[in-house]
Amino acid sequence: MSGPLEGVRVLELASIGPGPFCAMVLADLGADVVRVERPNAVAPHSDPPPDALQRGRSASIGVNLKEPEGVEIVLQLAERSDVLVEGFRPGVMERLGLGPEVCHGRNPGLVYGRMTGWGQSGDRALTAGHDIDYLAVAGALHHIGDPDRPPAVPLNLIADFGGGGMLLALGIVAALFARGSDAAAGEVIDAAMVDGSALLTSMFHGMVATGMWSEERGVNLLDGGAPFYRSYETADGRYVAVGALEPQFYAALLDGLAIESGDLPAQYDRSGWPHIRERFGEVFRTRTRDEWVETFAGTDACVAPVNTFSEAVADTATSGRSSFVDVGGVVQPAPAPRFAGRAATAPAVARAPGADTDAVVAGLGFREADLRDLRARGVIA
């Protein structure tokens, strides 16, 4: 793909979740990404995986990092790269002989991106975790969901992707910008999902400090407590999302619901919110979701259908912008954001694991006989 990162070479050590997402974003922005797979992920004549997170790579190779010669191959690739992305627990890359010091010894300008859950330091650094754990510790999970039920699980969007992979991608772009033309100005980026999850709650810490946010779940402006910022069930068992925060948008909402403002407590009278929620709920249950969408079409009431993934693809708000694309038969989100000076191009289909091993390793100067020997000894797959 062409893009603002065209010419940037990225070496990605295969992982799951936020690491591949970071590499996908970089590839979407035009970077040349080579993915290094474990040998056991490589199967002869395998098809490309239907995984959007693996799209856009220029090559996929299978290398055994437990073999010194495999480590040397990766180091030679690191010498020729601008960025390295890894997602192992702290200390693993060092034990493999691929830590930042070693890599910078071979390429001082390398931007070395590290993606972990708990970070490279801290009392949880060496323990396992997943998105929900990082959200819980960072204080975000407690505030999601209804007050009389356990906290709701917001998929793994926040820690893995927003606070993890996206933050690492931003860090990498910032480090590349800071490096400029200085070939020796490398960097090590410690991106932790717990840090990113905490960072995403910045606004709420400000609201707590000013008394605008209660730590009781489901009673606040943006956690479903406000009747004008929540989802409502419709007559067909579907849902609409309402986000009419500003007074003019709230007025448009009342107009569409055919409710007189004088029949309800004032919008920001919190003592009246339970009554308003009950009234809104009664009215929304009188029509189907799509009927309400039609009622509010073209208004500023901030009412939208709660779509499934497949419905999101067909919604006019996304289809009119080509927000989704077909990549190798898999419909998936299109690259974002968009740049006025560069026409968007569809990302490349994911490479089959290890499909480009011979070509990439041969590009380092290995001969055919060398490749056969390395393969026979399990160094490459």
Side-chain angles (χ1 to χ4, degrees), residues 259-276:
I259 298 176
E260 294 292 333
S261 60
D263 295 338
L264 295 174
Q267 179 183 2
Y268 278 90
D269 176 5
R270 290 181 179 241
S271 66
W273 282 2
H275 174 69
I276 299 174

Side-chain angles (χ1 to χ4, degrees), residues 46-61:
S46 61
D47 294 326
D51 182 359
L53 296 185
Q54 293 190 39
R55 74 189 187 196
R57 299 344 186 239
S58 61
S60 172
I61 65 174

